[in-house]
Amino acid sequence: MSYYQPEIECADVETIRRVQSEKLVKQVEHVYKNVPYYRDLMDKKGVKPSDIRSIDDLHKLPFISKYDLRDSYPYGFLAVDKSEVVRIHSTSGTTGRRVIAFYTRHDIDLWEDCCTRALVAAGADKEDVVQIAYGYGLFTGGSGLNGASHKLGCMTVPMSSGNTDRQIQFMQDLGSTVLCCTPSYAAYLGESLKASGISPDDTSLKIGIFGAEPWTEEMRRNIEKSLGIRAYDIYGLTEISGPGVAFECSAQNGMHVNEDHFIAEIINPDTGEVLPEGEKGELVFTCLDKEAFPMLRYRTRDICVLTREKCSCGRTFIKMAKPMGRSDDMMIIRGVNVFPSQIETVLIQCGYEPNYRIEIDRVDNNDTLDVFVELSSEGFSDTVREITAKEKDLSNAIRNMIGIGAKVHLVPIGSIERSEGKAKRVIDKRNLHD
Ligand code: ADP
Ligand code: ZN
């Protein structure tokens, strides 16, 4: 088993807690002193930095939400002098106005360490050729993995996203062994390889590091097969640093949170109450040693579960399960909570590719749910009756999973837009009405 920083990645839990406590005390002082917005939040709650003596006091601190970041846009949470900042990144704006995050040289360094741990945990070393097909620029995906690939001494191929023909050509010409991109783009690359008549055995790829959006176990198996690799999940968000807040190891069953840099909590999103390990809720992060943009108890709106079990890889960091999606991705259809990932699971289980679009509307005060899924060209040689029967089967399978029926439309291959970055799969027309 290889590790990048084994002394901390495999430290005993007491050591991790001690490191966290020491860093937390200093971080709260730093934020209280340098971020008036958060000082006000603490004052309103009647909490002083001296009240925070260890991680057991974490729950006393106020939360930060995306709304706070929007209110204080752009510099309100900057905790160092502007002259100390060496870079900015911003969120993809998937769910609203972009958030801008700031980094000192030290912040970039620790973020790249986190991503390097991810590369090593997936089995990469300096002999690898790392093709990075995450977007570069304001998005954190490209830069984070790029820095990590440098740190590890890999040959780094900074493709950025898109231009699929060129991706495949470079992959073959250079013998890329590691691919980093969103899972939806990985699926598309797999599909494009097949369409070009290239078998997975004709490439040198062996490892995929995919994240930045929710994806299911079914999708993982699908991508592993189409690209002939082992696919690992990586999680992160701009506000906390970027990809690498948590990463998957050889066990491929959850992501280790880099706990020497970030404390993870799960809360009840309605009450803010901290939930015990193993319970599902909203993920909250506290940055322990970031200087420029140190979030304390930042509410991610991602829904998932944390567990601390002995892991076969030897790491002791707590693990987060694959996030089901964001609380704001959750669709409430006829009063039932539905996540796109549940529908994705059904589609792949029923043998379809993960190319789909979900449309929700409201007709005569009734919510409607339409799912568009691609059917292979061979499928379209069926009779209309056979296609209708397939649509019905899929609709029943969806009902079994989410409890409500959907109208399924099988559409020709290629008719659903492919994504080079984060896929947009849900169109909620109801929002247009209000
Ligand atoms: P935006 O919030 O605008 O998309 P980011 O680019 O910072 O901005 O994306 C961070 C978000 O992406 C996370 O909060 C989470 O919802 C999602 N995300 C990132 N990695 C994963 C992953 N591995 N699995 C599921 N969701 C992920
Ligand atoms: Zn592990």
Side-chain angles (χ1 to χ4, degrees), residues 267-335:
I267 61 162
N268 174 328
D270 299 323
T271 62
E273 176 205 357
V274 179
L275 299 177
E277 261 173 54
E279 282 195 28
K280 188 165 80 186
E282 179 179 351
L283 191 55
V284 171
F285 282 110
T286 295
C287 300
L288 288 168
D289 38 19
K290 265 175 65 193
E291 297 172 336
F293 198 66
M295 294 286 103
L296 300 178
R297 301 198 88 199
Y298 182 70
R299 294 184 59 158
T300 63
R301 301 193 284 181
D302 290 326
I303 304 294
C304 88
V305 175
L306 291 171
T307 42
R308 195 187 296 279
E309 281 164 9
K310 206 169 154 36
C311 185
S312 57
C313 77
R315 289 177 184 79
T316 42
F317 289 158
I318 202 162
K319 272 170 147 178
M320 58 180 271
K322 265 185 180 307
M324 289 191 71
R326 319 177 188 223
S327 50
D328 37 7
D329 261 356
M330 192 179 76
M331 311 172 279
I332 304 182
I333 306 171
R334 284 171 240 152

Side-chain angles (χ1 to χ4, degrees), residues 66 91-95 139-140 210-215 233-239 255 300 302 323 326 422:
K66 219 157 188 157
T91 57
S92 322
T94 311
T95 54
F139 179 52
T140 50
F210 306 134
E213 62 181 0
W215 53 311
D233 202 352
I234 184 166
Y235 168 90
L237 61 167
T238 315
E239 297 88 324
M255 295 174 272
T300 63
D302 290 326
R326 319 177 188 223
K422 299 190 188 221

